[in-house]
Amino acid sequence: MTHKKEQQIKIEGEFKPTVDCLCATRRRFVFIHKGIDRVFKYIGFYAVGVFIAGKSVKTVKKKVEAGIVAIVLLALSFSLSCYHLTMGIMWFVTALIGVAAVILISQLINENRILQYFGRISLIILCIHGPVYRIVVKIVSILLNLGTDAVRENFLLAMVVVVITMAICSTAYEVVVRLAPWMVGKKKVKEN
């Protein structure tokens, strides 16, 4: 073994924690580096949102035609996704087609108290629905003596799970608003 090789082994032995730390840092940098491309992908959605936000939105007057267009757009977006035609710029086009369909559907619905309520509590739903959903699926599967996959794959049971999950999330929201309103960006109302 050469003298240089012996020195390298000695250095690596003495500074192994440092070398490991540097390697781990390099791996994290590679991970961050690979994630940077997502910023440039998703900035297009932000730009479209800024562009649309500047426009005045009017309620759709021809509801039947708008409904048909929304269904066609959803079907087109779904078809493009199912047939894996979302490579290159097409993933962005497919997403925008879906966004346009959702905007049309929201214009058709216009005002709905239940959807507006769930829109207000969407942050809480986003934060807690995952664990709640898993627990509800497990409880339903035990009660019906089915596997959790069977509960998830059955449309009717999946809808029951969604309703129960949303009820639990909305109850959690009401509790949080009363006990710690600052958690959802509200100020505590002083009682007289």
Side-chain angles (χ1 to χ4, degrees):
M1 200 180 304
T2 65
H3 181 64
K4 190 173 184 180
K5 187 76 167 173
E6 286 176 6
Q7 282 183 327
Q8 185 178 6
I9 291 171
K10 185 178 178 185
I11 290 172
E12 284 180 5
E14 290 175 12
F15 298 104
K16 181 145 178 47
T18 307
V19 171
D20 288 345
C21 181
L22 290 173
C23 289
T25 304
R26 185 171 180 221
R27 274 186 244 127
R28 270 183 270 171
F29 176 73
V30 168
F31 175 73
I32 292 170
H33 170 70
K34 289 183 179 179
I36 288 176
D37 66 330
R38 294 180 186 160
V39 172
F40 298 109
K41 281 183 173 180
Y42 301 137
I43 198 87
F45 291 109
Y46 180 78
V48 169
V50 168
F51 177 75
I52 291 173
K55 306 294 179 197
S56 63
V57 179
K58 299 175 184 171
T59 306
V60 176
K61 293 180 181 175
K62 298 180 179 180
K63 296 200 182 264
V64 174
E65 291 88 349
I68 292 170
V69 170
I71 291 170
V72 168
L73 287 174
L74 280 176
L76 178 61
S77 179
F78 183 76
S79 298
L80 289 171
S81 296
C82 279
Y83 293 110
H84 305 289
L85 299 173
T86 55
M87 299 298 176
I89 192 72
M90 283 306 292
W91 73 271
F92 187 72
V93 173
T94 303
L96 286 182
I97 290 170
V99 167
V102 170
I103 289 172
L104 272 174
I105 291 169
S106 69
Q107 288 295 311
L108 292 170
I109 294 171
N110 197 13
E111 287 188 29
N112 183 311
R113 292 180 64 162
I114 295 171
L115 292 178
Q116 288 172 337
Y117 173 74
F118 284 128
R120 280 194 305 276
I121 70 169
S122 61
L123 181 60
I124 290 288
I125 293 171
L126 174 69
C127 292
I128 68 171
H129 83 279
V132 172
Y133 168 79
R134 287 177 186 82
I135 292 168
V136 171
V137 166
K138 187 66 176 173
I139 290 171
V140 169
S141 69
I142 290 170
L143 291 175
L144 297 176
N145 200 22
L146 296 169
T148 55
D149 288 339
V151 172
R152 288 186 182 103
E153 291 170 1
N154 183 309
F155 181 77
L156 182 62
L157 290 177
M159 289 299 105
V160 168
V161 167
V162 167
V163 168
I164 294 169
T165 302
M166 294 300 279
I168 292 170
C169 289
S170 65
T171 303
Y173 173 80
E174 295 302 330
V175 168
V176 167
V177 165
R178 283 176 178 69
L179 298 179
W182 54 267
M183 290 179 73
V184 288
K186 296 187 181 251
K187 293 182 181 178
K188 191 164 188 149
V189 179
K190 295 180 182 178
E191 295 179 16
N192 292 329

